[in-house]
Structures are given as structure tokens and as C-alpha cells.
Amino acid sequence: MVGANGWYLKSGSPRLNNFKTTFKLLLRNPGSAIGLIVVILYVAVAVIDQVYPRLLGITTDINTMTTNFTHPVPVPPSWLHNFSNWSLPFGTTFPGIDLFQAIIKSIRIDLSFSVAVVAGGCIIGIILGLYSAFFGKWLDQLIMRLTDIFFSIPFLVLAIAAGFFLGRSLEILAIVLILVWWPTYARVVRGQTLSVKEMSYVEAAKSSGVNNFRIMFKHILPNTMAPVIVQVSFDLATMILLLAMLDFIGFTPANAYLPELGYLASVGYGYAAIGDWWTLVFPGLTILLLALSMNLLGDGLRDAFDPRLRR
Amino acid sequence: MSGMNTILKVEDLKTQFVSWNGLVKALDGISFEIRSGECLGLVGETGCGKSVTALSIMNLIPETSGAVTGGKITFEDYNLVETQMAACKVIQTKTKPRLKVRRSKIKENSRKMNKIRGGMLSMIFQEPMTTLNPVMTIGEQITDVLYAHQISELTQRIIARKSITEEELRVIYKHCVEGNDLKFLFDFVDLNNGLKGIVPQIEFIINRKDITNYRKKKMISDLFDKDRSVPTQINRLKVWKSIRVPRFLPPLLKQEAEKVAIELLSKVSIPEPTKVIIQYPHELSGGMRQRVVIAIAIACNPHLLIADEPTTALDVTTQAQILDIIKDLKNIHSMSILFITHDLGVISDISDKVAVMYAGNIVEMAYTENLFERPKHPYTQGLLKSIPVYEQKKTELAAIPGSVPNLVHPPEGCRFNPRCDHVMEICRTTKPVMTEVEENHSVACWLYSKKEEK
Amino acid sequence: MNLVGYVIRRLILVIPTIIGATLIVFLLTRAGGTNMIIAAYLNPRIPYAVQKAALVAEFHLNQPLYIQYFYFMNGLLHGNWGYTRTGIFSGPVTTAIGIYFPNTIQLAIVAFIIAMIIGIPLGTIAAVRKDTWVDQITRVIAFIGISLPIFWLAQLLQTYLGTPQGIKIFPLQGTVSSIYLSGIPWINNYGVSSPTHIMIIDSLIHGNLPIFFSAVDHVILPAITLAFFTLAGIMRYMRNSTVEVLNQDYVKFARAKGLAEPRVIKKYARRNALIPVVTISGLTLASLLGGAVITETVYGYPGIGYWTVQAMQNFDAGGILGATLLFSFTIIAANLVVDIIYAYIDPRIRLGE
């Protein structure tokens, strides 16, 4: 109908090279714009906490976080009684640690963990998906059956089992999750590659004697990235929720010195029942906000990459 | 070309789409009319607004993307754009255009249109592969349109079979066998009350080409229904006029609808129609699916059929068969047709009149022979030059330079001016209007207006 | 057309999947080496030397890996899934599964039904009224649902609807009020009833209405928590697929036929839009089971998830292994069912491959 316009992508496969358009479209949607800003804020907090924690008002390093064992009972946020007093913006939680500091520390851990897992799974998935679709035949069959198998293993329980039999540490957890996370990406990339593979510019590259490796990674891969990026942004949210869940049921070795949002929530859980709501509300809200903004960002990205919506 | 009364009249129709980078002026004031029994061909390049014209007439422009912004479409006694324009408006804000949708008006519009669409006015879509619902059987999809428009006809068929006496049937079949006197037949049933529904059934049997006369005779005598009881539900449905399908359909009606579906399928020459109605679309080939689509479109004997590139997605042999079916509709059933295509060969084959579209405007309109013999507009001339001709052993085909312009920012004046060989100063500034240069041959080009002035 | 042939083909495909899944779980237990698995199964109350020999013999740890896997599978097929010893149950894993799994199934089904009943119509409305306030509100609900940490939601609901901190309208935890926990012969001390192990059904079998109402009361909050978690995904998926379907030619053609809009949506759009929703409902079930682990833990609901967490906290290797296998088998079975439903809805699939 409106195909006469030059910018309309007839190929159906969104490309990354018109980054500017994508970005513009992303910001046009208020939800995803807010999502993007919040995600950037979180990342900034995490990075600053790593590089120069003083900027966030954190004067202590990780091992000397103020614990107060004589008064382990949570103290309410300071502004509740005196609005101008912001020394303890989120109050304290057991055992007497500043909840604000603990949350900032946990953001860093949560973010880095989920980035590590998603990046790992993403890389493995992309490579396997590319090979699977490009060479087809038995390799494709094998890899797709493998993804079927991995899809049938519930990752939450698998993570528990892995921690149990291999040792409870974030590293092992990350490795196990990477091993079960790649099939999603393999499927996404495979689907995209199958359609891109048939396009004439790939045929042209083939007929001009470019080798397979170069075709795959130079010509096909960039055109399969849009859905991968969308998936990454959804998965980052899922991974943060998953880690929080595992921590909540007491799985990872989180503690007051190496806090994690799920752990903080589960600590606060006991106190919320006796009226100390802030111990439960603030960690949960932090997770909610982070996951929400990542999901919004992912949704916005999907819309921005969708050629049909560019009309 | 029998009747001379106008069935569809489009005046200064404007349709616009809202896109991310501006307002797409897809139709820029087009006017044409179709007389009853006539076939108008609409030709043009891809993206010139042919399909948009069809969708505007059918009121199928999605309210999320565009709207009819001006003009008038008169189909028989109905004004088709009035409520449509009230329901959805394009508002030009400072930065970008926006659509303003009024839900109540949309409902009102679709309620009004649903009585017309599918019944008096129907449409064949371009892509048979996607036009049929993949999860419903062919039978369900055909009967659906019958339930929506033809409940009273269906019940009349049942009642006719139940109320006809053997004596009357004998009279009818005698006349059928001896000389196929249909005229008498129709007069006869008109006189006898309650027999109206028998006509299409007999007509169908007589028009069948695959069986012998003896078999026809037997089939007609089989129409007599020994079970004379008419269920009360059927009686109540006799004058059904709503487009809402009644929730509980009597089983007798369902059987009847299936029968009609089989008749329709054999009308569009589908072999083994009884088998086809329980099949799913994916089990049929593209040509067969297009036939099913045509069968659905003609199910309620529409007065006007819009065929939006019905042959484009098919291979050549199938194309010819589909064209034959459409020609039959035109000649035997004297249906008016708006035939949209980009294929000039097909147009010359089927249509009486041709309108050439370019970038949302009709640039030339004439009888088919006139247009092909004496094309006036430079664009039409270019189009005709780009058809390969067997006799001429030319090595190169002439092509029109450039491509269809961006409709967000169309060229000023005549929209064809950037590609035109005969471009003049006035073409760049002022839009030409349709002027009649010969009898029944009008063209929108300054070349001819100028001459007239001189 | 031939649905039976498709089902048989699909059933055969299950076998390699089961072998693959068990192999992965098996390798996971063996990846840490012999000492790791002995450590995992160690019972601190029995002398180490005695136990080591017993464990090596039990798991055939001195044999090559593939023989170990053979014994492992042999045990699984003969119903020997190992032993569990947690605070709430000690004995064979299969028995524990028999006791706790029905509760999870019940919870999952109730949640899934609630999610479907609310999610599918809302998703359809959001798609039909695309870009209006209805769409925006469902969008916000969906996004919050996807992003909400389920344990947090469970805790908030429990704290503010189940304790005097907020308004106490729902019971705090368990399957039934604690007053029934002793004295009723068919309920054990942890709130598990017999013979079906689903309290709602058992109370009806035994004809005890107070227990029935109490059981229903107890299931509401966990079910709502799980349903909200699932609802978001279903609603969003339904919305997106309906938007997609509404742009299809066959919907346009249905409108061109002059059918009334409700009929177009019900008969033409919905069934097609449901296809992708059905295909993801296998994945939805996987996340539902994951959610059940958390929900059951927070609400102390004696289901399989509660038992898994108990096993984890009690260092019970047999229980964790059993739970992992059970969850995988459940998902494989669910995917099988989903594929069959899919083939039923979409006739194109039956011809495929």
C-alpha cells in the first residue's frame, strides 16, 4: 500500500545499520524511553559503586559495611520522623546495616551476574544457531534436538541441583545457567539466519567466492542481531528475577557483606510481618523497577526494530 | 453493457495514511463510475493506490493507519463514506499527523456496511494463500457468508422444496427438458406462492455441464421433499434480515447452507466440491483457493464485484482459468466488476473501460479499444510501450525512467512531471484536471488542455 | 487429518528428549567428581568409611560413566528414585512425589485456569482496542506482572492480606486451618491429606464441609499469586498475536464478507491468535512450576516446590535429584500435550514434516 516510500524495508529483516532511526523510534515511545533512562541509571550506580563509591555517599568499602550487632533490629527510614533527615533513606535491616548501601551493593552484583550469564548464553547460542541454520542437515537436526532437551529442564530446579552437587557459588551458578540459557538464542538466531540466508546479497557473496565463515559473521550475523538484542534485554530482567528467587530460598552464599536483592527481601520478610515494612518493600521495589525498565526497554526495542511499525 | 444505470459512483475520493514520517496522500481525488453490467479496469504500477481505492470502497481501511478524508462514494442508494469519514479523521498537528477515532461511529459504520459488504458488494483479494482462514474448513467459510446475508433465501429454498407439489414439479421439469424454457419457469414460480426458492436450485442443475439431461431430469424430480413438515424455527427465520448470525441454527439450515456451498463451488468449476468443503485451505492449490475466494465473493449474488489483482499471484494457466470464471460472471450473470490489476494484457482481455492510475490520481480513462489504440497521457503511452510485442523484433523495451514518487512529499503540480518526456512549466506548478478530449475518453494532462485552449 | 499418526510420531520423539534430559541431570551430579557426590549424600550420623563404601556400591562409582548412567536409568525405570530425608518426610523419593505432587498440580491448574480466563479476553480486548486506554492499562499490568519478583508479591500479599499488619482476610499459610491438623485421621501433621493428597477433593470424599471451605480459603492466595505471575505473559502474548492476526488478509476478507465484528473476532481472529499462545504455554508451565517453588515456600503449601526447598535446606541430595527429574518429566509431558493441542487447533501442523 505504502510501499512506494524509500525507507520502507521490503526485506522484512530489520537491520542495525540505521541505528539512528531505531534510537529515534525507541525514544518516541514514552515507556521505553523511561525504561532506557532507568536502566542507564542502574548501570551508572553499579559502575560508580565499583569505581568510586564515595560519589554515592558510601564511605566504607565492601568489608566494613556498618553492621550493628548490638542493635540488629531494623531502624525505620530517617525521613519518616524528620523529613529533612536523609541519613538513612531506606532505614536499616538485619543486622543493623544501612539498607540503602546494601541495595546499591546488590545492584552491582545482580547486574554483573545477569550480564555475565546472558552474554555467555548469547554468544554460545549465536554461534550454534548460525552454524545450525547455515549448514543445515544433520547439524541442524542435532542442535535443534539439543535445544528441545535443554528447554525441558526447569532452570530454577537445575540451578538448585547444580549448586548442590557442584558447590554453591555464583561462578558455578553462572556457568550452569549459561549452559541452559543458550538454546533460546540458538533458536532466535537460527530462525533469522534461515530467512536471511535466502536473500540475494548472501547469494551474491557466495557466488563471488567469499568463504563461509566470512559470510556467516560478516553478512548474516549483523542482520540477525535485532531480535537477539530484544531477547537480551528481556533475559537480563529474567535473570535478575531468577537470581533474586534463588537467593530468596536461601541458595546463594549472600550475606550482609555481599548482599543481594533477593536475600535482602527474604531478610526483610520476617520483619515486615511485625511491622517493619521498609525491610521488605525497598529491596523488592528495586528489583521490580530494574526488571520493569528492562522489559519496557526490550518491548520498545522490539517495536523499534519492527519494520512494519516504521510506516 | 446491458443496463445503463450507474451502480457505483466515486467522486473526488481522497484517502490518506498516517505514517511515521508524515501524511501519505495515497488517493488524491479520484473520480469514476461503473454502470451496471460493466467491467471497469483499474491499472497502474505497484503503490499507485489501486488497492487503496478498493479498500476505501469496501470501508476496509484499518482505522489505526489511515482514513478516507474526502469525497463521495455512491453505491446504488447508499453513501459509503459518510459515516466512515465521521468515524475516523486525520488531524494535522504541529509535528505529525494523527488519527482521531470515534468508536461509536465506527460501530455504526460497520453495522451499516456489514449489510452491504458481502451481500450486494463483495471483493476478491489478491493473495489466495492468505485470504482464507487457515483453521476453518472451506465449507465453514462459505456457509458463514450465507448465514450472514442469506438466511431468508436459505429458508425459502427449504420451504419451496417442502411446499412444491408433484404436479408443479412435473410441469417445471417438463419445461426444463423440452427446450429449456427458463423464462416460463420463472414466471411460473412467481405466480405460485412459496416456490421462489426453487429457482436457483433448478437453475444450478440445468447449468451443470458435467451430467447428462437424463440425470438432470432425475435430479430435478428428486427435489420434491416427501417430508412436508417445516420446523417452526425455519418458518421464523424466513424473513431474516439482520447481519448477526442467529446463535442456534436449525440443523436443516446448516445442511441447506452446505448444499448451497457445494453449488457455489461447482459454479466456479471446482472438481469434487463435496470433498472440498470439508478440507482446509492448505490442502488446496493456489488456483483452487482463488476459486473458493470467488465462490465466497459471489455467494450472495453481489451487484458489484471488486477484484483486486485476482490473478497476480497465480501462474499463467491458472490465471486464464480464473479470468474465464470472472468473464462468465460478467457475461452470464451480468455482474458489474471493478477489476484492478497492473497487467495490461489481462485488462485488455476482460474490461470494457479502463482507468489508468498514477500516484493516487486517475490520469486517463477510456473504452478499452480506444485506450489501447490511441493512448493520450504520456504515462499511458509509456506503459503501453513497455509491453513486449511479438511481431516487433526490437531488442530493447522502452521503460519509463524513474519510479513512483514518494507519496508523503509528492511532486508539485502533475505528479508525473519528474518522469515525463513532455514536461512543461505549468506541469510543475498546477495539477491538471480530467478533461474529455474525445468522446468517452478523458485525460488529465496539460498537453491536451493546452491544445483545447488554442 | 490423521491426528493419531501425528500423536504417535510425537510420542516417539519424546524418547530421545527424556534420554537427553536424564543424561544432563546425571552428568550434573557426576561433574563434581566422586568425592563431590559422596559428600552430597553423606549422612553425618554414620561413620564416613562405612558410608563411603556403601555409596560407592550404591552408585557404582568405581565403574565407567556410561555404566553408571545405565544403572541410573535402570533405577529410574524400576521406580528406584533414591531416598529423601527432610523434616517433613523421610522415605523413598517416589512416595514423597506421590504425596506432594498432587498439591502442586492442583495449584498450577487453578492458577493456569485463572490466568487463561482473565488473560485471553483481556489480551483480545487490548488488541482490538489497540493504542487506546484499555491497551495501555493492560500493558502496564502485563509489564508489572512480568517484572514483579514472585516471592516479593507472595510476601506482600501474605503480609498485608494474611497478617494483622494489613487486613487479615486470608489465612497465613498451609493447606488447612491448624485446628484440623490434629485429630482428623486422614490429615497428617504437615497438612497433607489422603487418599488423593489434594485437600479440597479429600474433604469432599470424606464429606467434611468445614475442612473443604477452609481448604478453598487456603488455596486462594497462592493461586492468585501464581496466576498473576502467569497472567501477564499470556495476556501480552494474546494481545500481540491478535494484533498480528487482525492485520491478516483473512480477517480483512471476513470483514469484506459482511460478518459482524464480534463474529470476525471470535471465529476468525481468536482461534488463529490462540495458536502462538498455545505453543508458549509449555514454556508458561515451566515458569509456573518455577513460580510454584517460590509460592509454596512462602505460603507453606506442602507441594513439590515446598518439598524441594526443604530438601535443599536439609542437604538432601536424593530429594533434589528426584525433584529435578520430576520437573523435567513434567515439562516434557506438558510439551507433549501442548503439541497435541496445537495440532488439534492448527490443521496445518498435522501434515508437517
Side-chain angles (χ1 to χ4, degrees), chain A residues 1-2 4-5 7 21 25 28 310-311, chain B residues 17 19-21 24 52 405-408:
Chain A
M1 253 182 291
V2 213
N5 306 300
W7 41 264
T21 323
L25 279 165
R28 197 168 59 128
R310 294 192 173 190
R311 278 196 278 182
Chain B
F17 287 94
S19 89
W20 171 60
N21 57 352
V24 181
V52 176
N406 182 337
L407 292 179
V408 178

Side-chain angles (χ1 to χ4, degrees), chain B residues 137-157:
Chain B
T137 60
I138 303 294
E140 282 177 285
Q141 302 192 41
I142 301 178
T143 49
D144 237 21
V145 68
L146 296 172
Y147 295 147
H149 299 282
Q150 298 243 301
I151 294 270
S152 72
E153 280 81 354
L154 288 178
T155 48
Q156 271 171 12
R157 283 169 64 108

Side-chain angles (χ1 to χ4, degrees), chain C residues 44-106:
Chain C
R45 269 167 282 172
I46 303 171
Y48 175 73
V50 181
Q51 247 190 96
K52 185 184 175 185
L55 283 172
V56 166
E58 189 187 339
F59 297 114
H60 307 276
L61 292 178
N62 42 15
Q63 308 267 20
L65 262 183
Y66 62 91
I67 305 245
Q68 288 182 32
Y69 178 65
F70 171 76
Y71 280 115
F72 175 77
M73 279 307 281
N74 196 31
L76 287 187
L77 290 174
H78 284 89
N80 174 17
W81 288 40
Y83 290 89
T84 168
R85 46 180 164 78
T86 61
I88 55 170
F89 180 85
S90 300
V93 168
T94 40
T95 316
I97 289 173
I99 291 174
Y100 294 112
F101 201 38
N103 268 332
T104 305
I105 294 177
Q106 173 213 326

Side-chain angles (χ1 to χ4, degrees), chain A:
Chain A
M1 253 182 291
V2 213
N5 306 300
W7 41 264
Y8 181 73
L9 292 175
K10 278 187 182 139
S11 64
S13 97
R15 282 148 188 265
L16 279 187
N17 49 17
N18 40 16
F19 177 76
K20 219 171 146 188
T21 323
T22 308
F23 196 67
K24 240 186 194 168
L25 279 165
L26 186 66
L27 291 184
R28 197 168 59 128
N29 178 345
S32 46
I34 293 170
L36 182 67
I37 292 167
V38 175
V39 168
I40 289 174
L41 218 68
Y42 268 88
V43 172
V45 164
V47 170
I48 293 169
D49 181 52
Q50 178 72 26
V51 182
Y52 195 67
R54 227 168 273 252
L55 214 60
L56 294 167
I58 298 171
T59 48
T60 49
D61 76 307
I62 192 156
N63 289 319
T64 55
M65 200 183 249
T66 343
T67 48
N68 187 349
F69 281 106
T70 50
H71 268 293
V73 188
V75 175
S78 50
W79 45 265
L80 269 185
H81 305 297
N82 177 6
F83 195 74
S84 57
N85 182 2
W86 285 85
S87 59
L88 284 175
F90 290 174
T92 67
T93 187
F94 178 85
I97 52 175
D98 182 352
L99 194 52
F100 182 69
Q101 282 194 27
I103 283 177
I104 284 178
K105 292 261 178 246
S106 10
I107 287 173
R108 193 193 58 171
I109 291 163
D110 275 24
L111 266 181
S112 52
F113 176 82
S114 57
V115 166
V117 172
V118 172
C122 189
I123 289 166
I124 296 176
I126 285 174
I127 292 170
L128 287 181
L130 260 180
Y131 273 90
S132 169
F134 195 78
F135 292 109
K137 299 197 185 104
W138 63 270
L139 185 70
D140 189 30
Q141 283 294 321
L142 179 73
I143 291 178
M144 284 305 110
R145 284 286 88 75
L146 268 180
T147 60
D148 273 349
I149 291 167
F150 276 104
F151 270 132
S152 67
I153 298 176
F155 40 83
L156 183 71
V157 186
L158 187 80
I160 294 174
F164 201 84
F165 288 103
L166 304 177
R168 292 186 191 190
S169 73
L170 279 179
E171 291 82 7
I172 284 176
L173 188 61
I175 290 168
V176 170
L177 283 176
I178 286 173
L179 286 181
V180 292
W181 217 255
W182 64 266
T184 326
Y185 293 98
R187 289 252 175 120
V188 168
V189 171
R190 175 179 176 267
Q192 279 286 311
T193 308
L194 281 182
S195 62
V196 172
K197 204 175 97 178
E198 302 301 322
M199 280 180 193
S200 42
Y201 73 90
V202 176
E203 297 281 315
K206 260 186 200 166
S207 56
S208 58
V210 182
N211 69 16
N212 283 342
F213 187 81
R214 203 176 154 81
I215 290 177
M216 276 198 290
F217 289 92
K218 188 96 194 290
H219 296 276
I220 296 181
L221 187 63
N223 288 304
T224 62
M225 283 320 280
V228 171
I229 288 174
V230 173
Q231 188 65 34
V232 163
S233 113
F234 285 135
D235 276 354
L236 282 174
T238 315
M239 201 48 73
I240 285 162
L241 291 176
L242 180 66
L243 183 64
M245 269 192 207
L246 283 169
D247 258 322
F248 166 74
I249 55 176
F251 176 75
T252 48
N255 53 50
Y257 300 113
L258 195 63
E260 198 283 331
L261 292 168
Y263 163 79
L264 290 175
S266 76
V267 165
Y269 172 42
Y271 289 98
I274 54 167
D276 299 344
W277 54 269
W278 60 92
T279 50
L280 176 58
V281 169
F282 287 123
L285 268 184
T286 317
I287 306 174
L288 174 62
L289 195 61
L290 180 52
L292 186 63
S293 50
M294 290 217 168
N295 278 324
L296 282 173
L297 181 63
D299 194 59
L301 279 172
R302 181 170 54 201
D303 283 355
F305 283 134
D306 192 343
R308 281 165 305 176
L309 297 175
R310 294 192 173 190
R311 278 196 278 182

Side-chain angles (χ1 to χ4, degrees), chain B residues 186-204:
Chain B
F186 293 151
D187 289 344
F188 181 75
V189 290
D190 271 344
L191 288 176
N192 292 276
N193 204 15
L195 290 188
K196 221 175 166 193
I198 209 85
V199 178
Q201 303 178 52
I202 292 175
E203 203 182 4
F204 163 67

